[in-house]
Amino acid sequence: MTEGTGAGAAAADLPFRVMLTMHVHPGRETEFERTWLEIGDQITGHPANLGQWLVRSADEPSTYYIMSDWVNERLFREFEQTPGHLEHRRILHPLRSSGSMVTGARLAFLPGAASTLEQAESVAAAG
């Protein structure tokens, strides 16, 4: 394990993960992906952002999962109110038919056998 379990740490001090599910209007998947990539630096450029991922569902081609990691929950909640984030949401909103968000404190990371030591250390350092 390259990252601790968070045992004893206050939740406010732990890295924070945001997981979005977005259902995109059928036929607009390419536009959504392109737009998400074009404006993604509004998130990754924020000093509290540790990184983000875009995943397209293998089972539902118009469904996407977006994950982003943050230094902590307080800094993420502050980011949610920034003009940049509100603009990001405004641009993506017309492309989606629905969406949901779940959040949580990131407790541990267990690298898989195919992970390189360098990748594992990079993830652990970010968390």
Side-chain angles (χ1 to χ4, degrees), residues 12 16 35 42 45 47 49 64-65 81-82 96 103 111 119 122 124:
F16 191 69
T35 302
Q42 292 179 17
N49 183 262
Y64 291 85
Y65 306 102
Q81 304 307 313
T82 64
R96 67 183 198 144
T103 62
Q119 288 170 329
S122 171

Side-chain angles (χ1 to χ4, degrees), residues 46-59:
H46 190 279
N49 183 262
L50 299 171
Q52 64 175 340
W53 298 260
L54 176 64
V55 177
R56 180 179 41 229
S57 172
D59 303 315

Side-chain angles (χ1 to χ4, degrees), residues 1-122:
M1 177 166 44
T2 60
E3 189 175 319
T5 63
D13 297 329
L14 293 171
F16 191 69
R17 178 160 288 175
V18 177
M19 296 161 286
L20 305 170
T21 299
M22 285 203 181
H23 302 284
V24 173
H25 293 292
R28 299 192 78 181
E29 296 86 357
T30 300
E31 181 182 2
F32 173 79
E33 292 173 24
R34 184 181 65 249
T35 302
W36 188 87
L37 287 168
E38 288 173 357
I39 62 177
D41 62 346
Q42 292 179 17
I43 292 176
T44 56
H46 190 279
N49 183 262
L50 299 171
Q52 64 175 340
W53 298 260
L54 176 64
V55 177
R56 180 179 41 229
S57 172
D59 303 315
E60 301 173 32
S62 296
T63 298
Y64 291 85
Y65 306 102
I66 300 169
M67 291 170 282
S68 61
D69 284 353
W70 298 85
V71 170
N72 60 41
E73 182 176 7
R74 179 184 61 80
L75 293 174
F76 167 72
R77 299 296 179 193
E78 288 176 9
F79 167 76
E80 281 188 300
Q81 304 307 313
T82 64
H85 176 65
L86 298 174
E87 177 68 6
H88 186 263
R89 289 181 60 189
R90 186 193 66 73
I91 292 169
L92 288 176
H93 189 77
L95 300 174
R96 67 183 198 144
S97 58
S98 66
S100 62
M101 179 173 91
V102 296
T103 62
R106 204 176 71 200
L107 299 180
F109 170 69
L110 302 172
S115 294
T116 65
L117 180 59
E118 183 178 295
Q119 288 170 329
E121 289 173 345
S122 171

